[in-house]
């Protein structure tokens, strides 16, 4: 039988049954398999993909919606991948157009690499910011943080959700409530019994990813990063909003190196909701 053309292959919803195929696709493009992250994104959000008649996936991506289920306020698009053997044949463009159509009037956001940015601009996305990926072994030094931090407990979840909704600009309970199971470490910062920040770190292939990182100010963010770093021997990695220049300078002074620069883009909204001054790093760039 003749092999169907790529344009004739349907886009379908992905489920956890597709976890291995998604991880294979990541590996095919030179990424880590990232099964842990794929699992979170496929359960807290939606996956879209195109099956390869010869097995596996031609392409895949994830969408994580925030706000009321009946009318989401924002959707983050991530993990947009096309198998190497099908690259530069319009597959990614067709998948993205399907996603944009499926989400209708919901505003969209994503983090774009320099290679991906032209496609997203063609589809109507605009650059609204930048995030700097930093990675390395954290070396403590300088004055000890004055902000009190500790491991989060179940009793902290309600306060964390209130702070997160205020800072992020919409409700994302369905993903933040999964942090205790997803992350290796989940810490909060307090002042006089009031929660003023929180952060988590979760396992990647060769490092621990710090995210999300939400804090009242830079000193609180430093205290949370220091607290998480004190509990691991692995390198740290995170994606920091470049407007937080002081935090970027501090983490590089502590041993992390700048390794990538991604554009933060939106479609259907001129800017991201919430308070960027307290939003230092996303849970993952795939989920915003």
């Amino acid at each position: 039988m003749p092999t169907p053309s790529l344009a004739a292959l349907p886009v379908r919803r992905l489920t956890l049954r597709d976890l291995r195929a998604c991880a294979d696709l990541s590996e095919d493009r030179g990424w880590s398999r990232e099964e842990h992250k794929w699992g979170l994104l496929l359960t807290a959000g939606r996956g879209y993909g195109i099956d390869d008649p010869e097995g596996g996936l031609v392409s895949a991506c994830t969408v994580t919606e925030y706000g009321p289920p009946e009318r989401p306020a924002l959707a983050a698009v991530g993990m947009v991948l096309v198998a190497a053997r099908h690259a530069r044949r319009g597959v990614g463009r067709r998948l993205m157009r399907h996603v944009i159509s499926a989400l209708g009037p919901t505003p969209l956001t994503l983090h774009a690499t320099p290679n991906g940015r032209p496609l997203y601009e063609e589809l109507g996305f605009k650059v609204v910011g930048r995030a700097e990926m930093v990675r390395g072994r954290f070396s403590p030094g300088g004055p000890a943080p004055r902000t009190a931090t500790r491991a989060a407990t179940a009793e902290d979840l309600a306060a964390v959700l209130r702070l997160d909704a205020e800072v992020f600009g919409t409700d994302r309970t369905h993903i933040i409530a999964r942090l205790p199971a997803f992350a290796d470490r989940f810490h909060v910062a307090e002042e006089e019994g009031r929660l003023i920040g929180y952060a988590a770190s979760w396992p990647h292939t060769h490092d621990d990813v710090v995210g999300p990182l939400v804090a009242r100010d830079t000193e609180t963010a430093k205290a949370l990063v220091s607290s998480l770093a004190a509990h691991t021997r692995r390198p740290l990695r995170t994606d920091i909003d470049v407007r937080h220049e002081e935090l970027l300078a501090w983490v590089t002074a502590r041993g992390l190196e700048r390794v990538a620069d991604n554009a933060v883009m939106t479609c259907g909204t001129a800017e991201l909701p919430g308070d960027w001054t307290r939003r230092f790093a996303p849970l993952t760039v795939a989920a915003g």
Side-chain angles (χ1 to χ4, degrees), residues 117-174:
R117 178 174 163 178
L119 168 61
Y120 301 127
E121 289 178 330
E122 177 188 324
L123 294 170
F125 284 82
K126 307 292 184 184
V127 175
V128 297
R130 287 173 40 239
E132 191 88 32
M133 180 191 291
V134 292
R135 182 186 185 275
R137 293 196 175 275
F138 183 88
S139 299
R146 295 186 299 271
T147 306
T149 61
R150 60 172 174 79
T153 68
E155 287 71 29
D156 294 312
L157 185 58
V160 167
L161 290 172
R162 285 194 298 271
L163 176 62
D164 187 79
E166 182 181 328
V167 172
F168 196 74
T170 189
D171 179 71
R172 52 178 186 167
T173 297
H174 64 298

Side-chain angles (χ1 to χ4, degrees), residues 12-32:
R12 69 171 177 87
R13 288 280 297 274
L14 302 177
T15 71
L16 277 177
R17 291 191 296 273
D18 300 297
L19 182 59
R20 181 174 179 179
C22 290
D24 288 345
L25 187 58
S26 290
E27 196 169 51
D28 174 75
R29 293 317 305 254
W31 294 12
S32 302

Side-chain angles (χ1 to χ4, degrees), residues 181-206:
F182 177 72
D184 282 348
R185 284 161 289 280
F186 184 12
H187 290 190
V188 296
E190 292 180 310
E191 183 179 77
E192 297 179 352
R194 182 172 62 91
L195 191 138
I196 58 172
Y198 81 91
S201 61
W202 47 273
H204 194 254
T205 307
H206 303 296

